[in-house]
């Protein structure tokens, strides 16, 4: 007989502007809490590398530093939730980025009888973000990390369309702000402390 599932899932939204360190911290949190990490940016880059129709459509939008349409990323999230039925929880990295996406994520998680536990926002000032992204662009080869104008467009998209989600999650009592500058390990321990406080 299968044991009854009594544990509660930990579902985290790792939030912050491009270059805030979401990917780095998601990698560590995934290992620490045994969660499934879903990065819509990584999924989109895989589609581009595989030269799928979706990837070809997304590429020009991403290269311009704009957000791809909501239904595209929501479809990807739906697939990821479906293909990880035994997950102990999820880290959503780079998603949601609009209010439509946040509402749809809530709806999807309700279908699975679960919900977002916490939205952890990494706070980093713009000049530091630009410095980090340009540095990353040298190693990663990511076109959107190498051009100051594209970086500026991404930060603008974040401020216009994504930052309002702080209000969305605050009204649900789930928003936590974390200083995203300093030693990676120290930032990680601060994130772990916030998660431990709810679980
Ligand atoms: P990232 O790796 O999270 O910085 O994402 C790289 C690019 O992928 C973004 O600049 C967007 O063009 C696109 N992208 C990633 N996630 C989303 C999302 N949730 N909504 C819309 N566009 C996204």
């Amino acid at each position: 007989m299968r044991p009854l599932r009594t544990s509660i899932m930990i579902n985290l939204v790792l939030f912050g502007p491009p270059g805030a360190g979401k990917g780095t911290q998601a990698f560590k949190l995934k290992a620490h809490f045994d969660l499934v990490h879903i990065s819509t940016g990584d999924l989109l880059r895989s589609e581009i590398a595989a030269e799928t129709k979706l990837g070809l459509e997304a590429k020009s939008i991403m290269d311009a530093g704009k957000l791809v349409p909501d239904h595209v990323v929501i479809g990807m999230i739906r697939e990821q939730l479906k293909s990880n039925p035994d997950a102990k929880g999820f880290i959503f990295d780079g998603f949601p980025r609009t209010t439509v996406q946040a509402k749809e994520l809530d709806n999807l998680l309700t279908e699975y009888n679960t919900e977002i536990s916490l939205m952890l926002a990494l706070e980093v000032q713009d000049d530091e973000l630009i410095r980090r992204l340009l540095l990353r662009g040298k190693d990663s080869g990511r076109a959107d990390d190498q051009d100051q104008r594209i970086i500026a467009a991404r930060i603008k998209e974040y401020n216009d369309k994504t930052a309002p989600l702080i209000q969305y999650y605050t009204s649900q009592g789930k928003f936590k702000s974390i200083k995203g500058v300093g030693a990676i390990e120290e930032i990680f321990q601060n994130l772990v402390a916030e998660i431990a406080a709810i679980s």
Side-chain angles (χ1 to χ4, degrees), residues 17-19 22 39-42 44-45 58 61-70 73-74 77 93-98 101 133 136 142 144-145 150 154 157:
K22 299 187 294 292
S39 154
T40 40
D42 285 351
L44 287 164
R45 282 184 288 276
I61 302 172
M62 290 168 73
D63 284 349
K66 301 279 186 192
L67 295 185
V68 305
D70 288 330
V73 282
I74 290 165
I77 295 290
D93 162 5
F95 181 93
R97 264 174 151 108
T98 64
Q101 293 178 21
L133 289 170
R136 185 170 76 183
R142 271 179 64 170
D144 61 347
D145 281 345
I150 301 175
R154 288 162 70 201
E157 285 283 79

